[in-house]
Each structure stands twice: as structure tokens, then as C-alpha cells.
Amino acid sequence: MANRRRFLASSLALSAPFLLPRIGRAAGSAERVRVGFIGTGNQGMSLLTKFLDDDLGDVVAVCDVNEGSLGYREPDHFYGREPAAEFVRRRAGTKGLPAGCDAYADFRKILDRNDVDAVLIVTPDHWHADMTVLAADAGKDVYCEKPLTLAADEGRRMIDAVRRGKRILQTGSQERSNPVSRFVCEAVKAGRIGRLSRIVTKVGYNNKTGPGPGWVPEAVPATFDYRSWLGPAPDAPYHHDRCLYRFRFNYDYSGGQITNFGAHCNDMAHWGMDLDRGGPTEIECLEAKFLPAGSLFNTATETRFRCRYPNGVELVCESGPEGVQTRFEGADGWMQTGYKGTTASDPALLAGMPAKGTGRQDSHSLHLANFIDCVRSREEPRAPVEVGHASAVLCHAANALIRLFPEAGPTRAAWDATLGRFVDQEAANRMLVPHRRDP
Ligand SMILES: NC(=O)c1ccc[n+]([C@@H]2O[C@H](COP(=O)([O-])OP(=O)(O)OC[C@H]3O[C@@H](n4cnc5c(N)ncnc54)[C@H](O)[C@@H]3O)[C@@H](O)[C@H]2O)c1
């Protein structure tokens, strides 16, 4: 904790020039919104492409600690700051727009620019909180990818910075803008399946394999600033399976599929039960499997946990082949939606359901467009900071019990959603604070 405070203090000191007072974008301003992308890997390039396809504004800068390399989610994915900047310049050129897009290795250079209204933070999870706080303090609006945080205790700092600076923050939970997810969650909220009693959410299995015990560190590629990739995370020897895309499977940078997919399906669970700024009163880890000790990937490979909410609803979240899925069960039937489609106990329950969107109606496009609309109007976006925080915290709390599982076995613990802490479970509470290194 002290390390984290020192890290942030030093970052703030380094970025002091960026904190000069800056007038935020005025409500209703008709000017094009100017943005900078921080993190141009797998998801960064996907969002960047949609942003340009839909002509949502001007991308004046991109930033990545990787100059450019192959080997992201798929071996032939060539991403990083130079390919991203080149992509923006080329696209701007074909549309006759100003072709300037700067590429930086240090995100603070984007925060320093007065011509940037908003940043999109699409880095691994261990950078989300510090970048958001610095961006908000520098007067930028923020689109920050899900899961909003690496650890439960980071959300409060992000909320304070966003609200203090009167910033717009959209969590990258695009299901909030998916018309089908919206239909299902709002129908459940409105009582279409009767009194809600149970929700079952599914998270996928690990979709990558990493090296096992005895793995050998590799040389850091010349194009990659590994120290800055690690940032606030503990020092660790380089291996390519630690970084691009695969960071998801190591607790120093993420929380495995419980936070990766869980941030989507459990967020929808909160939405459908109309409790999207709250949390459970009890969490119980029922099952957890891990790779052998010493493997580079140390997050759980299979899990099952249960939560109880103050409204009497039970949520069970488990690993499965469905990928992301949320199933709502009520007194009068059930409805479920996810990667494998949307079904219900009675087709009549789905009457009026919109078609799945494509192109500009795709959920990512709609979610980005909602963010840009809110940057202009200064209204609340669909997934504001408190909502992103609440769904991430649920996943972190479950992970805390899951990580204790090998020794402790099935564990049930009372949870205080207001404080964001377990009641009388100090070992689990310690897991809510990320390990940090000195700056
Ligand atoms: N909303 C969704 O459906 C969705 C889908 C995929 C990923 N994501 C989220 O997006 C985030 C990124 O995931 P990804 O799959 O794109 O990972 P990735 O590894 O492919 O890309 C992350 C990029 O961030 C860069 N980076 C790391 N530290 C940086 C720093 N200090 N400054 C600038 N750049 C830095 C990396 O070099 C890399 O290029 C994660 O939080 C993930 O959960 C969301």
C-alpha cells in the first residue's frame, strides 16, 4: 500500500506540468472530439479501428511501450505504437482529414497535451487505476477498459479522481450498449420472469497456455520497454508469455477469466438485479483449480463461486465452455444471453427483442459512440466509474477466496459492500491489495 502511494506520488510529481488548470470540454460543444489511445495491442487496435470506421473524432496521438511487434493474441498480430500511428495516418489520408498522429512511449506525453480531450486506456489491468487518476487530474475524460481495476482498493481512488475533476469515465463494458443485453437485463429488472431468485454466470476457460515450472526467462526485445510495461507491478524476469495478451493469466497484472470474462457477465448480473452500484453480503468459493506451482500462469483455470445479495438473489459464477453467459432465473421462467446467443424458458419472454447489431450498431461501436456523446454533453455514460468498480470488486473478492482455496478449501465469508472488505477475514482482505514495487 505504501509502495503504491509512493508510486502514485512520484508519478504525480513527474507529471506536475500536466496538472496545470485546463478548461474541460464545454457541454454541447460541436467541435470534433480529440483523443489519444494508450495501449495499442489486441483490444486497443480493435477499438481504434471502430473509432475510425465510425468517424467518432480525431485520434491525435497513440501511445504504447511496444514500438511494434508480432505476437499478440495471435502470432501474426502486428501491433504497437508505430503500426497504430501509421494506421491512423493512412486512414486520415484516405478521408482527407489532417494526417497528424503522434506516437509516444510515455503516456504522460499525451496527458500533457492541451489539444487532447479524452484518452482511451487499453493497457493491461495493472495500469488502469494509476493512468485513470493521472488522466482525470490532467483534465481528460477517460474510456477505461474492463475490468476497471486490478484490485478492490483501487476503485475508490478512481471514483474520487473522476468525480473531483468532473470527468466523464466510461468503463469498457460494452454489453451495457449491446441492445440484446440491454433488452434482457431491463426485462428482468421490469419483472418479465417474475421475482428473480438466481443468476448463473459463465466465464470461459483459459484460452492460452503458458510455460510450466522451471520456465526460463527470455531477453527483452529491443522494441519493448519492459520496465514501463511492468510499471507499478512487482519486478519480474521477462518472458513473452507474461506480457502481450497473456498477462490475463497472472495475478500481478490481472485476475484470470474471473475478471476478464467475469467483468462482463457479473456486470450484467448486477444490472439485471438492479444493484449495479452495490454488492453481495456473502461470497463462497466452491471450487478452484490451478496449474502446478511455478507455472508462469498462476490464475485459477477453473472455478465456481456463489454470492448472496441483500435482495435474496443468489449468484453462481462458474467456468464453462460457453465463454461469457448470464442466465436469470425467476418465479415465472428464465432468460439467458451471452456469446452463444439468447434463449428463454418460453419464446414469448423474448418478444420485442432487437436483432444483434453489426457495423455501427455493434456493441463496441455503440459503447464508444455513447462515450463520445457524453464527452460532448457532459451526461453520465452507460457504464460510469461506480458501476465498473462494483462489478470489478465482486470479481476481485471472489478471486481472493479462490486464491486461498488450495489451503483453506471451500470458504464462505461475509462481505461488506460499502467498505469493499470481508468481515473478519484478514487473509482474504490482504488479497484485495495488489503487490506493488517501488517506483
Ligand atoms: N471490452 C472487451 O471486450 C475487451 C476485450 C479484450 C480486452 N479488453 C481489455 O483491454 C485491456 C488490454 O487487453 P489486450 O487484450 O488489448 O492486451 P494486449 O497485451 O494485447 O494490449 C495491451 C497493450 O498495452 C501496452 N501497454 C502496457 N503498458 C503500457 C504503458 N505503460 N503505456 C502504454 N502502453 C502500455 C502493451 O504494450 C500492449 O500493446 C485489458 O484490460 C483487457 O481486459 C477488453
Side-chain angles (χ1 to χ4, degrees):
M1 190 68 188
N3 284 351
R4 288 181 55 241
R5 278 202 211 99
R6 282 204 299 277
F7 172 79
L8 189 63
S10 107
S11 302
L12 285 166
L14 279 169
S15 65
F18 313 134
L19 300 178
L20 290 173
R22 178 184 173 284
I23 301 163
R25 178 167 270 270
S29 156
E31 272 176 55
R32 281 171 73 81
V33 173
R34 290 144 306 180
V35 305
F37 272 72
I38 304 175
T40 51
N42 163 52
Q43 177 71 352
M45 285 304 287
S46 167
L47 290 181
L48 180 59
T49 307
K50 288 180 191 301
F51 194 94
L52 296 176
D53 282 352
D54 299 346
D55 197 21
L56 293 173
D58 293 329
V59 180
V60 297
V62 294
C63 164
D64 201 297
V65 295
N66 188 10
E67 189 182 314
S69 77
L70 292 164
Y72 277 83
R73 191 180 61 184
E74 304 304 335
D76 63 344
H77 286 174
F78 182 66
Y79 300 147
R81 65 178 179 273
E82 288 304 336
E86 193 41 43
F87 178 65
V88 177
R89 289 177 201 130
R90 227 178 24 245
R91 291 292 292 267
T94 57
K95 289 188 168 183
L97 293 167
C101 175
D102 295 307
Y104 301 110
D106 184 341
F107 70 96
R108 291 169 297 186
K109 296 239 166 73
I110 295 190
L111 303 189
D112 196 21
R113 285 178 59 154
N114 273 330
D115 64 340
V116 172
D117 299 304
V119 291
L120 292 94
I121 298 173
V122 202
T123 61
D125 315 354
H126 66 285
W127 263 114
H128 290 179
D130 290 341
M131 284 182 175
T132 295
V133 170
L134 290 168
D137 285 348
K140 312 299 180 203
D141 294 322
V142 176
Y143 183 107
C144 182
E145 264 306 339
K146 52 47 66 178
L148 198 59
T149 50
L150 171 68
D153 79 332
E154 292 177 332
R156 184 47 54 195
R157 271 201 298 137
M158 296 168 87
I159 293 170
D160 289 348
V162 167
R163 296 302 171 199
R164 182 175 62 231
K166 297 189 169 40
R167 296 294 96 206
I168 300 297
L169 184 140
Q170 173 90 297
T171 310
S173 299
Q174 70 276 356
E175 292 306 323
R176 292 266 168 180
S177 293
N178 177 342
V180 176
S181 305
R182 176 162 288 273
F183 169 85
V184 171
C185 293
E186 293 294 341
V188 170
K189 243 167 89 171
R192 196 177 281 211
I193 58 169
R195 189 179 165 78
L196 183 65
S197 55
R198 190 165 181 263
I199 305 174
V200 181
T201 58
K202 299 279 188 173
V203 297
Y205 299 119
N206 284 8
N207 56 350
K208 297 286 170 196
T209 49
W215 61 270
V216 179
E218 297 171 342
V220 179
T223 55
F224 191 59
D225 179 355
Y226 179 51
R227 300 292 300 173
S228 298
W229 185 93
L230 281 174
D235 212 350
Y238 175 81
H239 191 288
H240 73 278
D241 279 324
R242 184 186 293 285
C243 299
L244 307 179
Y245 188 85
R246 291 149 179 79
F247 67 85
R248 285 163 170 70
F249 307 115
N250 189 300
Y251 283 124
D252 284 339
Y253 325 112
S254 190
Q257 297 296 31
I258 289 290
T259 57
N260 185 36
F261 285 170
H264 289 304
C265 56
N266 294 319
D267 182 59
M268 288 171 64
H270 277 181
W271 185 6
M273 75 170 102
D274 201 9
L275 203 83
D276 58 11
R277 291 172 194 232
T281 50
E282 185 186 278
I283 307 174
E284 186 178 5
C285 173
L286 302 167
E287 255 180 69
K289 287 188 188 158
F290 293 87
L291 293 167
S295 300
L296 183 51
F297 291 1
N298 60 9
T299 58
T301 52
E302 283 182 47
T303 52
R304 187 158 192 267
F305 67 88
R306 177 163 52 205
C307 303
R308 291 181 205 286
Y309 283 80
N311 53 8
V313 173
E314 175 189 86
L315 164 69
V316 174
C317 175
E318 57 194 15
S319 310
E322 298 87 349
V324 170
Q325 184 175 281
T326 309
R327 175 186 167 99
F328 297 98
E329 298 173 0
D332 302 335
W334 56 263
M335 293 168 86
Q336 71 182 33
T337 187
Y339 288 179
K340 300 262 159 104
T342 303
T343 48
S345 51
D346 178 346
L349 289 170
L350 301 180
M353 184 172 80
K356 189 173 179 291
T358 54
R360 293 184 89 151
Q361 299 307 308
D362 157 86
S363 55
H364 288 96
S365 292
L366 291 170
H367 207 52
L368 285 169
N370 172 249
F371 172 62
I372 296 299
D373 286 348
C374 294
V375 168
R376 289 179 182 288
S377 68
R378 312 311 294 169
E379 282 171 12
E380 276 288 78
R382 294 199 181 113
V385 60
E386 292 84 0
V387 166
H389 167 58
S391 42
V393 164
L394 166 61
C395 302
H396 298 320
N399 254 343
L401 294 185
I402 286 164
R403 293 173 74 175
L404 296 175
F405 184 86
E407 284 80 40
T411 307
R412 185 190 298 188
W415 175 255
D416 183 329
T418 309
L419 293 179
R421 291 179 67 76
F422 290 100
V423 181
D424 299 333
Q425 288 280 341
E426 283 322 302
N429 278 332
R430 278 194 293 279
M431 298 281 183
L432 301 174
V433 182
H435 292 120
R436 298 286 184 167
R437 73 180 158 109
D438 280 334

